[in-house]
């Protein structure tokens, strides 16, 4: 037997009217991102630099042969591991706050603290990490692809790989890497959003077996059954790639 998982604002959440807010509605949920961005990005860059230092030390010691020992680039393996490590540390902090942001943007709750309190009360702390598995499945490949592509493009664009890249090289390599990584991981990002918002009402409800948890495979099936396996993906892929690369 199946039931339609539709939790109305009256029984599950507080839906806040945005009437009269006008242009500021575009920034709804930004507080949750601000709260988490400092520690999350501190972990992101510190873990990236730590892993990068390990691979560069091995590289210059002659233990790896994927790139020249005179190059500052990490090579495919080092880039992938550094990118994945940084993404994992970042998502430990940002995943629950991203869930809060998504729900606030849908018009539920009256602020970040209220959202966290309500989610914890009705869904448990696990509700804040509802999308953590699919977030990792999205962002680990994203980090690996982005850092590897960035390193590759820098190596292609640099005239002297032993020197730090100039500003234009960094901009072009970073933009290209972001666009490629965003395009590759767009389908997983759609599934992540579905998991984060699946209990927010009829507009985004989908059919689940009774008492079933927020599993990634069911979210994938829901997206495929309600929107088609490729419905909207090319458009979303282009939009996400342009936004990330710009």
């Amino acid at each position: 037997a199946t039931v339609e998982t539709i939790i109305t604002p009256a029984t599950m959440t507080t839906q806040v009217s945005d009437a009269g807010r006008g242009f500021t509605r575009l920034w709804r949920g930004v507080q949750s991102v601000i709260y988490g961005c400092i520690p999350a990005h501190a972990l992101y860059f510190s873990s990236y630099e730590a892993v990068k230092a390990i691979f560069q030390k091995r590289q210059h010691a002659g233990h790896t042969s994927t790139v020249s020992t005179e190059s500052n680039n990490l090579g495919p393996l080092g880039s992938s591991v550094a990118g994945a490590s940084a993404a994992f540390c970042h998502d430990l902090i940002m995943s629950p706050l991203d869930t809060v942001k998504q729900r606030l943007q849908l018009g539920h709750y009256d602020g970040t603290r209220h959202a966290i309190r309500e989610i914890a009360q009705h869904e448990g702390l696990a509700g804040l990490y509802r999308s953590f598995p699919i977030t990792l499945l999205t962002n680990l490949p994203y980090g690996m692809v982005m850092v590897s592509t960035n390193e590759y493009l820098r190596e292609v664009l640099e005239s002297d790989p032993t020197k730090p890249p100039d500003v234009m090289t960094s901009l072009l390599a970073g933009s290209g890497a972001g666009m490629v990584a965003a395009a590759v991981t767009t389908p997983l990002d759609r599934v992540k959003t579905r998991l984060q918002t699946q209990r927010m009402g009829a507009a985004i409800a989908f059919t689940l077996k009774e008492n079933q948890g927020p599993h990634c495979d069911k979210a994938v099936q829901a997206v495929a059954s309600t929107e088609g396996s490729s419905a909207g993906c090319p458009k979303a892929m282009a939009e996400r790639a342009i936004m990330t690369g710009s």
Side-chain angles (χ1 to χ4, degrees), residues 4-17:
E4 191 75 4
T5 303
I6 301 176
I7 310 298
T8 64
T11 60
M12 185 62 188
T13 67
T14 301
Q15 189 166 18
V16 180
S17 173

Side-chain angles (χ1 to χ4, degrees), residues 40-167:
H41 284 84
L43 272 178
Y44 182 96
F45 288 107
S46 60
S47 59
Y48 172 80
E49 291 297 333
V51 174
K52 180 179 178 181
I54 292 173
F55 275 88
Q56 285 185 330
K57 183 178 180 180
R58 289 175 57 85
Q59 171 184 316
H60 292 301
H63 294 161
T64 60
S65 58
T66 55
V67 292
S68 169
T69 56
E70 296 181 354
S71 174
N72 289 317
N73 295 330
L74 295 179
L77 178 61
S79 299
S80 297
V81 175
S85 300
F88 179 82
C89 293
H90 173 272
D91 290 343
L92 281 175
I93 294 177
M94 288 305 298
S95 184
L97 293 174
D98 190 49
T99 296
V100 171
K101 181 200 71 173
Q102 295 278 3
R103 297 188 180 192
L104 285 170
Q105 288 176 339
L106 289 173
H108 297 272
Y109 312 117
D110 58 8
T112 300
R113 293 181 181 178
H114 180 231
I116 293 174
R117 185 171 63 250
E118 288 292 305
I119 294 171
Q121 178 181 348
H122 293 287
E123 304 174 46
L125 292 177
L128 291 169
Y129 281 91
R130 177 181 299 276
S131 65
F132 188 58
I134 191 63
T135 296
L136 289 182
L137 287 176
T138 302
N139 290 348
L140 292 186
Y142 179 91
M144 294 170 70
V145 172
M146 183 181 68
V147 176
S148 298
T149 305
N150 180 67
E151 292 288 325
Y152 171 76
L153 291 176
R154 281 175 53 184
E155 194 165 10
V156 170
L157 296 171
E158 285 173 347
S159 57
D160 186 354
T162 63
K163 296 180 180 179
D166 56 36
V167 174

